[in-house]
Structure formats: C-alpha cells, structure tokens
Amino acid sequence: MTSLLALDASSSACSVALWMDGNVIGRVEHAPRGHTRRLMPMIDALLDEADIARTSLDAIAYGHGPGSFTGIRIAAGVAQGIAYGLERPLLGISTLRALAQGAWQRDGASLVMPALDARLGELYVALYQAEQGRLEAVMADGVVAPEALVLPSCQPGSITMIGSGVTLLDRLPSGIQEYVGTTLEDREPEACDIVQLAAMDFASGLITSPQQALPIYLRDQVVSSKR
Amino acid sequence: MRVLGIETSCDETGIALFDSEHGLLADALFSQVDMHVEHGGVVPELASRDHVRRLLPLIEQVLAEAGLESHDVDAIAYTAGPGLVGALMVGAATAHGLAWAWQVPVLGVHHMEGHLLAPMLEDERPEFPFVALLVSGGHTQLVAVHALGDYELLGESVDDAAGEAFDKAARMLSLPYPGGPHIARLAEQGDPTRFRFPRPMTDRPGLDFSFSGLKTHTLTTIKALEAQGALDDQTRADVARAFEDAVADTLVIKCRRALEQTGLKRLVVAGGVSANQRLRQRLDTALGKMGARAFYPRGRFCTDNGAMIAYVGAQRLMAGERDAQTMLATPRWPLAELAPPARCQD
C-alpha cells in the first residue's frame, strides 16, 4: 500500500490528511494562531485512526504557499523534519492548486480561479482547468493587484472563483468579473486536497528531497524601505 | 545521552550534537549577517526565511561530522525563546517534526540559559554558584546562578543593551553592522586620553545599567566635531576608543560590585559583547585584584550557537524534562522565570 501524509497551516485553518491507495481521510480545525498547538496532536490522531505506523509512510506533503508566511513555515518545518527524519521524499504543493482541486472535486467546477487575499491590496491568484481527468494550470500562481489582473479570454460566467480573494472580486477589471459565474468565498486550502495532488505527483515521479521542498511565498519584496 | 541542538532565535542558524558522556561531538553555524548588512540590522522576515533554507543541510553536516546516523540521536533541544518569534518558530517546528519521525523526546530551551552555561562546554568549567554577565545585542544582565535553572536577576539595562549601543555608535561613525567588532577595530588606533565619556549609573548603588545616555553623549560629541569640521579619521578612532572604554569600564564596575554583593568568586561572561578583548583584559585585571576569576566561552560560542542549546537541553532532558506536543516560540521570556528541570507532566 502507498501511504502519504499531508499537512497545511497556510491559513487560519489547520488540516492534516492521509492518502492510502486512493482512500483519503483528513481532519480540519479552525485554529487561528493555534497551529503550533494543534498540528502534532492532529497528525497523531489521524495515524491512530488509520492504524498506520509513521514508518510506513511513503512520502510527506505540505501546502508550500502562498498564504500566511508564518503558517507556511510552521508546515514547512514540521514537514521537513518528518520527511528528513523518516528519510522520505517531501512534496510541496501549491495552496492555490489545492483550492482549485477542491472546487473541481467537490463542487464540479472545471475552470477555477483560486484567489487568496494577499493583504497590501494584492491577490495571490492562478487559473486552473480540468482536462482529461486532471487539473492543469492555465495561468501560473502569482501575486498581483486585482485591478491589474490579466486572464486569457473566457466564456462569461465560466469561472469558479474560490478562496478569501473573493472579497476583492469587485476590484477586478470588469471584463474579468463577467467571466466569474460562481464564487466560493469561505474556503481555505485543505490537506485532503493537497494529499490527492501529492499522490498524483508522487505517482508521476515528481518528487523532491526534504531540503529542496522550500516554501513558495510569491511575495519576495518584504523589506519596505532601505535606511 | 546524545542531543541535537537547534538555534534559530535571531540571525544565525546553529546546529550541534552534544553527548553527555563525550562532550561536544560536532557543531555548525550559518550566519546571516551579510544578508542583513545592507538593511542596517536584522530583518525578521528575511531571517525566518533563511533559517528554513539552512536547517536541514546544517543538521546533515553535523551528523556527518560526528560520524553518526539519525538513529544515534537520543533527543532534540531547540531554542524556544526569547528571540524573533518567526525565526524561533522555524526551529521549533523542525525540531518537533524531526522528534516525531525519530520518536525521541524534544525540548524547547531558553536562549539566555544557553549563553549562561556556554562556558560549561570548555575544559575549565566554573562550578556553581557563580555570577554571570550576559551581554549581547539584546541583553545586558547580571545574574546570580545558584544551580541549573535557579537564577536570580541582580541587575539589567533599563534601556539599550550594550551590544545595541555598540551597533548605534557604529552607525553614528558610519561603520557597518554589527557594530561591536568594527568599533573595537577602529578603537585600536584611538587615543584613550583625548575624550572621556561618562560611565553611566556607576556613581550610585545598584546593579542596573543604562546605555542610552552614553549613546546620546556619543552622538552629541560627533555632531559637535562635525560642525567644527574636525571629524577626521584619527578623531573617529578617538571617539570609538572613548566609547569602548566607557562601556567596558561600566561593565567591569558592575561585575565587581555584583561579586562583592554576592560574595562569589566566579564570573561567567557570555553573549556577543563578551568577545570584546578590551572588556576581557579589564575584567581579568579587576577580578585578579579581588581574588576572583572570569570564565569565557570559546570565541565562536560567545555569539549564538547550537552547542549551548544542545548542552542545556541535555541537562534538562536527562532530568526527564520534555515538551508536550506544542511547539514553543516565546519572544519575551524573562530568565528569572526559569526553574530547575521538571519531569514532563503528561
């Protein structure tokens, strides 16, 4: 049996999930500022529930961002520690891709624009399309002011927009607003979606070492001004 | 017990392996100083990001240097505070992940307790009890160390830390960060008789420090010299010397006073500023006259390092102390709140 463990702390939610030959079980808690307290007990509870030993895990995955810088690093630290400690591959999965996966799998959306409020008047955003049973990126993950978003031409009402970025919908260019037919605002990236994407990547051999699977912040300009 | 130590409280990633029977097995450090220089100080977000990049490669390096496999590690200790919360979090999370995978105990320890006990990594170690001067960019404290975990704060800076004063004076003299080594180098060329700066709070009883007035005095002096067009290279060196002398003398006076007040004969000096040679010379002279002795960690353990964390962690882990499942990152954490090792409750 192939088993993967995924965890995510990129938002105010804390989630963990296990993939066992296609069966997924997971746990989600609303845990603002509580990831440091909840993450390890949630992992233990999940493995207990599945009756899986930690040493029988084949790979580890985590939401590598974008999202809360501190949250991403908590997940990265724990995931790197576990993967390095168990000598297993570590897969960093985009939180935007995970949101899109959720909209596709659970809500039947085929053209998904995951968007997270990046603060400072910007959006973390991407565009994914379901093709031949899997999600493909039409527009790669990026950080952009909503007014400046540019998308390939789409059918009106064809896009499902998912994530906290929906609150900035009215600041998108009016043309893009017309593409958006459905909004799923109260959704956060979840480990149960991350673990499915990780399982696909793992099966395709898209694996990285724990040292290589670093956070992807997207926003790299973090020093506001020089002295 | 073999303990892996992880230090990420500020701008250095430090990893070490300490063996309670064989001492320090290996240690490695990555300093981010070059990255922060252009910003004139530590940028917390950049520091946190870099710790994530450095931790695993350094752990791998230390294990290889010690010739050990992961299953040879019996426990993990990490810095839980005080420090930059985001930076601390990286070490705490990685430590908990590793400990979970290796199924070994993990413990968050106090960064300043690490500094306090860093001289215990040397061949000539001070016996308890002793007085410790902790002097760095973030702290200036005199502590009575009665035993492991039994610390009594005797005095501390009411404003700037001594290392912070060095950094600020360095900036006034257009010297790079971190200021300590640069001021010391410039002061080598300085005339000690040209200026005399105040020794703050030495004219009244007590063991508290204040370096803010000295900083202002330095700035006023530099401004006046500039206005006269007299701030040439020699004058800058003279100012650096007067500043360094004032800080060193102030620290020496208070250390002597702390030893007299407690009746103790051993002084441990730790933290980044303890690398300052003028301070060491004057302390050795002053303590020699009173039949006392100063103990210093080796040069690279004066500043932040993983070895001191592994050492402190080993002492407490061997006594049965360990974290529950919560990763600890406590940015503000007074040393006097520490207690002797306690067994885990759960």
Side-chain angles (χ1 to χ4, degrees):
Chain A
M1 185 174 76
T2 305
S3 322
L4 276 77
L5 170 69
L7 45 109
D8 183 78
S10 65
S11 70
S12 59
C14 185
S15 59
V16 297
L18 269 173
W19 192 91
M20 297 161 291
D21 280 347
N23 290 319
V24 174
I25 59 168
R27 289 172 181 241
V28 188
E29 289 187 15
H30 182 66
R33 305 182 72 85
H35 303 98
T36 50
R37 203 167 25 82
R38 294 303 307 144
L39 195 50
M40 301 314 297
M42 285 171 72
I43 293 171
D44 273 346
L46 191 66
L47 266 71
D48 277 353
E49 181 187 333
D51 198 19
I52 279 187
R54 56 196 82 181
T55 48
S56 58
L57 294 170
D58 296 292
I60 312 299
Y62 80 106
H64 70 190
S68 144
F69 293 167
T70 299
I72 295 169
R73 279 192 290 268
I74 291 170
V78 169
Q80 284 192 322
I82 292 177
Y84 179 83
L86 294 175
E87 299 175 22
R88 299 290 190 275
L90 177 59
L91 296 97
I93 300 293
S94 155
T95 49
L96 291 172
R97 188 175 163 216
L99 277 170
Q101 173 82 3
W104 174 46
Q105 292 280 294
R106 289 201 285 282
D107 304 276
S110 57
L111 186 59
V112 190
M113 179 165 69
L116 292 164
D117 183 350
R119 314 278 171 108
L120 306 175
E122 290 187 313
L123 271 182
Y124 298 125
V125 64
L127 188 64
Y128 287 87
Q129 183 159 29
E131 273 173 13
Q132 293 162 357
R134 58 181 295 152
L135 273 181
E136 301 290 344
V138 178
M139 182 182 74
D141 296 5
V143 58
V144 66
E147 297 81 2
L149 182 64
V150 178
L151 289 187
S153 152
C154 300
Q155 294 294 321
S158 62
I159 288 180
T160 296
M161 187 176 182
I162 180 170
S164 59
V166 168
T167 53
L168 297 172
L169 174 63
D170 58 4
R171 290 180 43 197
L172 295 177
S174 55
I176 292 179
Q177 288 188 37
E178 284 173 22
Y179 298 160
V180 177
T182 310
T183 57
L184 303 166
E185 180 181 334
D186 296 325
R187 293 274 281 272
E188 305 279 15
E190 281 187 32
C192 62
D193 296 315
I194 289 169
V195 86
Q196 296 194 37
L197 293 167
M200 280 194 283
D201 287 358
F202 185 73
S204 319
L206 293 172
I207 55 171
T208 45
S209 73
Q211 291 90 329
Q212 292 169 317
L214 293 168
I216 307 288
Y217 303 97
L218 292 187
R219 176 176 286 145
D220 292 320
Q221 186 61 45
V222 293
V223 183
S224 49
S225 64
K226 284 191 183 180
R227 280 173 194 278
Chain B
M1 177 184 272
R2 285 198 203 96
V3 178
L4 178 75
I6 299 177
E7 156 64 32
T8 64
S9 68
C10 189
D11 61 346
E12 340 230 51
T13 317
I15 303 292
L17 269 167
F18 177 81
D19 185 315
S20 56
E21 281 175 35
H22 301 101
L24 188 66
L25 302 178
D27 69 288
L29 185 89
F30 182 85
S31 173
Q32 305 173 354
V33 164
D34 292 345
M35 187 176 82
H36 297 293
V37 157
E38 62 173 307
H39 307 294
V42 178
V43 181
E45 176 61 23
L46 294 181
S48 303
R49 289 185 178 197
D50 206 54
H51 287 306
V52 182
R53 285 192 286 268
R54 306 294 172 190
L55 265 180
L56 292 186
L58 284 173
I59 291 171
E60 196 154 59
Q61 179 186 336
V62 162
L63 282 169
E65 273 173 25
L68 295 179
E69 304 283 338
S70 57
H71 57 77
D72 297 319
V73 177
D74 301 310
I76 300 171
Y78 65 95
T79 304
L84 302 171
V85 68
L88 292 166
M89 209 79 95
V90 174
T94 309
H96 272 266
L98 262 181
W100 186 86
W102 288 344
Q103 305 191 53
V104 297
V106 58
L107 178 68
V109 303
H110 194 290
H111 179 79
M112 299 313 286
E113 185 174 44
H115 278 305
L116 210 60
L117 300 182
M120 298 297 193
L121 292 161
E122 305 306 325
D123 292 336
E124 289 193 45
R125 317 147 44 134
E127 283 173 36
F128 294 120
F130 54 79
V131 171
L133 171 68
L134 295 175
V135 60
S136 69
H139 296 83
T140 306
Q141 293 182 331
L142 275 163
V143 181
V145 178
H146 302 297
L148 178 75
D150 185 359
Y151 310 126
E152 178 192 351
L153 184 65
L154 301 172
E156 64 184 330
S157 178
V158 297
D159 42 55
D160 291 358
E164 197 180 350
F166 267 107
D167 287 340
K168 289 175 178 172
R171 204 177 302 148
M172 294 172 201
L173 288 166
S174 312
L175 294 169
Y177 165 91
H182 292 283
I183 293 258
R185 204 168 304 131
L186 185 59
E188 285 299 314
Q189 319 300 324
D191 173 358
T193 60
R194 169 103 182 263
F195 303 104
R196 184 177 165 82
F197 284 9
R199 275 62 174 155
M201 294 182 76
T202 53
D203 55 348
R204 61 186 113 152
L207 294 170
D208 283 341
F209 304 87
S210 163
F211 292 103
S212 161
L214 177 61
K215 180 185 68 187
T216 309
H217 183 89
T218 308
L219 185 63
T220 314
T221 305
I222 291 171
K223 286 254 154 70
L225 288 163
E226 261 173 351
Q228 299 159 22
L231 196 62
D232 53 35
D233 284 352
Q234 182 57 48
T235 303
R236 289 173 71 243
D238 297 343
V239 169
R241 177 63 191 260
F243 175 84
E244 189 187 33
D245 279 348
V247 175
D249 278 354
T250 305
L251 294 172
V252 170
I253 291 166
K254 299 282 174 157
C255 285
R256 215 168 50 205
R257 203 178 276 175
L259 290 171
E260 283 163 2
Q261 187 178 309
T262 55
L264 296 172
K265 294 290 181 193
R266 290 175 293 273
L267 176 75
V268 159
V269 190
V273 181
S274 72
N276 184 281
Q277 288 304 315
R278 200 170 311 280
L279 173 65
R280 288 192 176 200
Q281 285 157 12
R282 293 197 182 177
L283 270 176
D284 289 341
T285 308
L287 266 58
K289 284 182 192 159
M290 53 192 297
R293 187 180 161 194
F295 294 83
Y296 309 94
R298 75 191 78 170
R300 71 177 192 277
F301 296 161
C302 286
T303 44
D304 293 352
N305 64 85
M308 66 184 194
I309 300 305
Y311 175 82
V312 167
Q315 308 313 306
R316 290 182 172 276
L317 284 155
M318 281 190 294
E321 189 169 325
R322 59 212 51 198
D323 281 3
Q325 288 188 300
T326 298
M327 305 160 215
L328 303 174
T330 311
R332 297 183 62 84
W333 186 5
L335 188 61
E337 283 181 8
L338 288 184
R343 289 205 157 265
C344 180
Q345 297 300 306
D346 63 8

